[in-house]
Amino acid sequence: MKHLQLNNKWVLVTGASSGLGQEMARQLAHLHKANLIIAARRADNLNQLKAELEKYAGIQVKVIVADLSIPEEADRVIAESIAGNNLYAAILNAGVTYFGRHTELAWDNFESILKTNVIGVVRMTNSLVKYFDEPGTEGGLMLVSSMAGFFPVPYQAAYSATKAFITAFGNALHNELTNPAFSITVFAPGGIATEMTDNSKFNELKGWLMPVSVAAKEGIHALITRKYSYVPGLLNRIGNVFMNFLPSKFIGGKMSKVYLKSLTKAQQ
Ligand SMILES: NC(=O)c1ccc[n+]([C@@H]2O[C@H](COP(=O)([O-])OP(=O)(O)OC[C@H]3O[C@@H](n4cnc5c(N)ncnc54)[C@H](OP(=O)(O)O)[C@@H]3O)[C@@H](O)[C@H]2O)c1
């Protein structure tokens, strides 16, 4: 399958107002000279990024301010992105987490995680697949999942379950596609140093976090080379293979101890 050529093409990145999405947008602009459609809720961050990238990378940037946990807003982002039929790739990266005992997660908060990480992503994927999976259309879609979707993660139970959904959903859809020039990639990082993990609750886990620039570079590589599923970082990939041979209950038990220690220290 021919690799994606992003130069001068339009690429949608959701969740580009911080963290991994923002860094992927920067690298797509500077290193690949892609034009960008950037979406998230924080207008200021998006407009700042637009000004920076148009000035220093010489590319075009469209900003769409939207709350992707609302299906109509997710629809609007895709409608505005595909208008004109020149969208070439999309990275559905926006996501939220909760780190703590599941019983302490308020229902509204749970619903918001589910709507952002699952409902919004499925809603956008449905429209994107209709757009891309047509003869003569070239492009790629990448869903940002997590290694937390490969095995159950205690104290991130709901988050982990939403990412398991995204991994299964993206991988299954990949095998339903009929257009050989379109691919769906599931990108599944381990921990990354971003706003999501910039919280004292993660202090004991900070040694495991990957720099966001490295995760972003590997994510873009996975999209361009049309990987089916991709875990950034050699150690993460080795760990992932190794963990496939261990019982889920054993992995969950070990993680539970480490995560609880980090949570407890943050509360002291
Ligand atoms: N950090 C990690 O350890 C890690 C590990 C594996 C996978 N991931 C995944 O990587 C992705 C990016 O996370 P990150 O680490 O870069 O965290 P982050 O810095 O907190 O970024 C999350 C992004 O998602 C956007 N977002 C959240 N809720 C949204 C909503 N309702 N509507 C629109 N945009 C929304 C945020 O923008 P606004 O707040 O401006 O809306 C922000 O741009 C997520 O899917 C996450 O699950 C992260």
Side-chain angles (χ1 to χ4, degrees):
M1 208 175 189
K2 211 174 108 202
H3 288 183
L4 295 175
Q5 304 287 340
L6 302 177
N7 189 307
N8 215 20
K9 304 277 183 31
W10 283 95
V11 179
L12 165 68
V13 183
T14 71
S17 61
S18 65
L20 181 62
Q22 187 179 68
E23 181 60 25
M24 285 196 286
R26 287 203 170 104
Q27 294 190 15
L28 285 165
H30 287 287
L31 307 177
H32 300 275
K33 296 292 169 197
N35 295 317
L36 298 172
I37 303 162
I38 52 175
R41 291 166 301 183
R42 282 171 289 177
D44 286 358
N45 290 22
L46 294 178
N47 285 323
Q48 236 172 31
L49 185 64
K50 172 183 163 73
E52 172 198 317
L53 297 182
E54 287 187 338
K55 184 167 176 190
Y56 296 110
I59 51 115
Q60 299 174 65
V61 181
K62 283 186 207 166
V63 165
I64 308 179
V65 178
D67 183 342
L68 296 168
S69 68
I70 302 170
E72 293 73 22
E73 295 269 284
D75 289 347
R76 179 171 61 81
V77 168
I78 301 305
E80 290 182 19
S81 300
I82 64 180
N85 281 339
N86 54 10
L87 184 70
Y88 184 73
I91 302 177
L92 302 186
N93 159 79
V96 281
T97 193
Y98 167 77
F99 187 24
R101 206 172 278 280
H102 180 71
T103 49
E104 290 165 12
L105 173 64
W107 183 254
D108 285 357
N109 198 352
F110 167 68
E111 277 195 332
S112 169
I113 295 171
L114 194 61
K115 284 176 181 168
T116 309
N117 294 7
V118 175
I119 312 272
V121 174
V122 173
R123 192 86 174 194
M124 290 186 281
T125 300
N126 289 355
S127 305
L128 288 167
V129 169
K130 269 192 201 132
Y131 168 81
F132 279 119
D133 200 23
E134 286 292 331
T137 305
E138 188 177 304
L141 166 62
M142 186 161 84
L143 306 183
V144 176
S145 182
S146 168
M147 283 182 79
F150 293 159
F151 40 83
V153 179
Y155 304 101
Q156 284 198 298
Y159 173 75
S160 166
T162 63
K163 293 301 185 180
F165 180 102
I166 292 303
T167 298
F169 176 66
N171 287 163
L173 267 190
H174 178 104
N175 290 304
E176 288 186 24
L177 301 178
T178 56
N179 172 11
F182 172 53
S183 47
I184 297 182
T185 296
V186 170
F187 181 55
I192 315 169
T194 64
E195 273 184 23
M196 186 174 269
T197 49
D198 187 18
N199 179 319
S200 59
K201 289 182 182 175
F202 287 93
N203 275 355
E204 290 289 304
L205 309 170
K206 292 222 159 120
W208 297 357
L209 301 180
M210 170 178 273
V212 69
S213 57
V214 177
K217 187 172 176 213
E218 294 208 29
I220 294 169
H221 168 76
L223 170 72
I224 290 177
T225 54
R226 301 177 181 279
K227 296 275 187 284
Y228 170 72
S229 180
Y230 195 79
V231 174
L234 183 62
L235 281 180
N236 283 341
R237 287 193 288 280
I238 293 170
N240 192 39
V241 170
F242 185 64
M243 284 198 283
N244 279 322
F245 293 101
L246 297 171
S248 148
K249 188 177 171 188
F250 174 80
I251 298 170
K254 292 282 175 213
M255 291 187 73
S256 164
K257 287 193 182 119
V258 178
Y259 276 45
L260 184 60
K261 189 174 159 207
S262 195
L263 273 173
T264 311
K265 278 208 168 174
Q267 280 154 7
Q268 279 165 357

